[in-house]
């Protein structure tokens, strides 16, 4: 264990030295990304919900579960922090250059990285609910995790464990809650309350039925035009 921690210390120093060798605009981008990445995941949650309104009940279920699973990933990470009182590397590593952002105060522990846990959970949850988006969310999560080391507030092992914990918890929540949430979605889609039905979406059948008259009219016009 001590060998792994020593390796993490050395990697932290290497990344910190590299960070200070980069241009100021690049350092600024890294600082912004550590927070902006979370906002972008939020936008993707909204986009996933919106695109699922005319999809199957399962698609809507997974879209609604994605942010919930991410929240559970954060809670699990925060629980780990209360058990492992690891000081931040920007305060604990001897000879380390100053962090690019303010070093969090004593008591705001380092292990695991909450940002990385949220990123890992969001990346996996979105990948399960939105086919093909993993090619976007996985790099986003990795870049967010790396940025936390880059700006100097986390060890490499903090962000690695954060990613894994977040992804694992999100996967378990998505699988465990899919059936009951799907039942809620199906009930909401048949609700007489317009607001509830709008939030849950019409589903594939209603979407197809709404477009059927238009398709029939176009076919009829095409037949009459042929004569």
């Amino acid at each position: 264990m001590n060998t792994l921690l020593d390796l993490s210390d050395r990697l932290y120093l290497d990344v910190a030295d590299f960070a200070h060798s980069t241009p100021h605009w690049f350092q600024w981008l890294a600082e912004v990304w550590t927070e902006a990445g979370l906002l972008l995941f939020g936008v993707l949650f909204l986009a996933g919900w919106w695109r699922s309104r005319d999809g199957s009940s399962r698609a809507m279920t997974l879209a609604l579960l994605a942010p919930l699973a991410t929240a559970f990933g954060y809670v699990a990470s925060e629980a780990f922090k209360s058990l492992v009182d690891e000081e931040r590397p920007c305060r604990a590593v001897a000879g380390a250059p100053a962090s690019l952002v303010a070093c969090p105060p004593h008591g705001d522990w380092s292990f695991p990285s909450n940002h990385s846990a949220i990123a890992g959970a969001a990346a996996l949850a979105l990948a399960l609910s939105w086919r093909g988006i993993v090619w976007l969310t996985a790099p986003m999560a990795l870049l967010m995790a790396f940025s936390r080391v880059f700006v100097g507030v986390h060890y490499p092992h903090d962000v690695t464990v954060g990613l894994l914990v977040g992804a694992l918890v999100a996967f378990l929540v998505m699988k465990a809650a899919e059936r009951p949430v799907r039942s809620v979605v199906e009930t909401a889609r048949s609700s007489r309350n317009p607001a509830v039905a709008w939030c849950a979406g019409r589903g594939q059948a209603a979407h197809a039925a709404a477009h059927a008259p238009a398709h029939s009219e176009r076919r009829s016009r095409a037949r009459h035009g042929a004569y």
Side-chain angles (χ1 to χ4, degrees), residues 1-16:
M1 178 61 73
N2 287 335
T3 301
L4 291 175
L5 294 178
D6 290 342
L7 175 61
S8 190
D9 281 3
R10 291 196 295 272
L11 287 174
Y12 172 80
L13 286 171
D14 289 341
V15 173

Side-chain angles (χ1 to χ4, degrees), residues 33 40-41 44 123 130 132-143:
W33 176 247
L40 183 53
F41 275 122
L44 290 176
W130 190 336
I133 204 172
V134 67
W135 302 111
L136 172 62
T137 60
M140 282 175 57
L142 292 174
L143 282 173

Side-chain angles (χ1 to χ4, degrees), residues 97-110:
S99 56
L100 299 183
V101 298
C103 192
H106 178 74
D108 185 351
W109 307 117
S110 188

Side-chain angles (χ1 to χ4, degrees), residues 111-144:
F111 179 87
S113 163
N114 281 344
H115 280 72
S116 299
I118 293 171
L124 183 75
L126 282 165
L128 291 175
S129 63
W130 190 336
R131 186 174 182 179
I133 204 172
V134 67
W135 302 111
L136 172 62
T137 60
M140 282 175 57
L142 292 174
L143 282 173
M144 182 172 292

Side-chain angles (χ1 to χ4, degrees), residues 107-191:
D108 185 351
W109 307 117
S110 188
F111 179 87
S113 163
N114 281 344
H115 280 72
S116 299
I118 293 171
L124 183 75
L126 282 165
L128 291 175
S129 63
W130 190 336
R131 186 174 182 179
I133 204 172
V134 67
W135 302 111
L136 172 62
T137 60
M140 282 175 57
L142 292 174
L143 282 173
M144 182 172 292
F146 177 75
S147 73
R148 300 304 288 168
V149 182
F150 186 92
V151 300
V153 295
H154 277 293
Y155 292 99
H157 66 267
D158 294 339
V159 299
T160 301
V161 173
L163 285 171
L164 294 175
V165 167
L168 177 60
V169 171
F171 177 81
L172 294 175
V173 170
M174 295 283 281
K175 293 301 180 183
E178 180 179 348
R179 181 174 294 180
V181 173
R182 183 169 181 171
S183 177
V184 173
V185 167
E186 291 172 348
T187 300
R189 284 185 163 179
S190 61
S191 173

